[in-house]
Amino acid sequence: MRLHRLRDRSGVRVQDRLVWQAASLLLAYPDDGLTGRLDTVAELLGHVAGPAGELLGHTAAALRAREPMAAAMDYVATFDLRRRATMYLTYWTAGDTRNRGREMLAFATAYREAGVPPPIGEAPDYLPVVLEFAATVDPGAGRRLLSAHRVPLDVLRGALADAGSPYAPTVAAVCATLPVATDQEARRADRLAKIGPPAEAVGLQAFTLTVPPRRQEGAPSV
């Protein structure tokens, strides 16, 4: 049986886990470890068949072709200066409201139930963290978290595509591992992209959002 058809004990395709692992590495801040991560991605892509491999390969090639400083500046401009391109998934489902803390707790609880502690220096809903968890710790729980946040992923994918970002193909590859978005999800993603997330600056404490390989900076301004 071909690798892309194999499934693990949770019923998740092995190829999906490879896509998630590669995406987690590609979406990390392009620091001094970028070359090593791109080499790892190249190895992973040797086992990823079809469009997903091509999509991830586009991002990998673009990053490998960029000068390190230019790649870092582009990353900051893309993910830190554009709220529509934030990789904090609960921002789109809860915004700056009291509900966001509860939704982040759902991620942290999933990690603990899988036997690993939540990240210390990063928010548990940060997309590269979620992808790493899904790829290497608990694929079933990871898929459920990603699927439950399909709308934020679609908003992010659309924002990156509109900006012509080299990261857009990677998020598209992640979306392709999930069930096809329903009409309701598509309408909700379109609405959020136009008007933004819920707003209520009450009862939410600020989070310190810094985890390797991400640079030492805070969450995007909301």
Side-chain angles (χ1 to χ4, degrees):
M1 183 178 291
R2 294 180 179 179
L3 182 60
H4 71 277
R5 294 181 180 177
L6 292 176
R7 297 178 182 271
D8 60 22
R9 288 180 295 179
S10 68
V12 174
R13 293 194 310 164
V14 172
Q15 172 156 300
D16 290 350
R17 296 180 64 177
L18 295 174
V19 169
W20 297 336
Q21 180 66 83
S24 177
L25 296 171
L26 290 171
L27 293 173
Y29 177 72
D31 58 11
D32 293 339
L34 175 60
T35 298
R37 291 195 296 275
L38 291 177
D39 290 342
T40 300
V41 168
E43 295 179 10
L44 293 170
L45 294 187
H47 304 286
V48 177
E54 296 177 8
L55 289 168
L56 295 166
H58 288 318
T59 301
L63 292 178
R64 202 177 284 277
R66 299 294 301 275
E67 291 293 331
M69 182 63 70
M73 292 176 65
D74 177 65
Y75 188 95
V76 171
T78 298
F79 295 113
D80 290 355
L81 302 182
R82 292 189 181 104
R83 288 191 294 177
R84 282 185 60 204
T86 181
M87 287 196 284
Y88 297 96
L89 298 179
T90 64
Y91 172 74
W92 287 106
T93 55
D96 189 12
T97 74
R98 287 169 289 188
N99 290 333
R100 191 175 177 198
R102 182 174 66 246
E103 293 194 13
M104 283 204 215
L105 180 60
F107 283 85
T109 299
Y111 299 158
R112 292 191 184 96
E113 289 179 347
V116 297
I120 295 176
E122 185 57 271
D125 66 331
Y126 181 53
L127 180 56
V129 171
V130 183
L131 290 168
E132 177 77 13
F133 170 76
T136 65
V137 179
D138 190 330
R143 177 186 286 283
R144 287 191 291 274
L145 289 172
L146 291 168
S147 296
H149 293 79
R150 176 59 192 259
V151 170
L153 287 170
D154 279 334
V155 174
L156 173 60
R157 176 180 54 78
L160 294 175
D162 290 346
S165 170
Y167 295 102
T170 287
V171 178
V174 171
C175 290
T177 66
L178 305 175
V180 176
T182 65
D183 290 342
Q184 182 179 8
E185 288 173 330
R187 288 193 298 269
R188 186 180 173 202
D190 183 64
R191 180 174 180 272
L192 283 174
K194 291 177 179 177
I195 69 172
E200 172 193 290
V202 178
L204 179 66
Q205 298 298 317
F207 284 80
T208 300
L209 307 173
T210 54
V211 144
R214 185 171 169 82
R215 70 207 173 294
Q216 299 298 312
E217 290 185 6
S221 177
V222 295

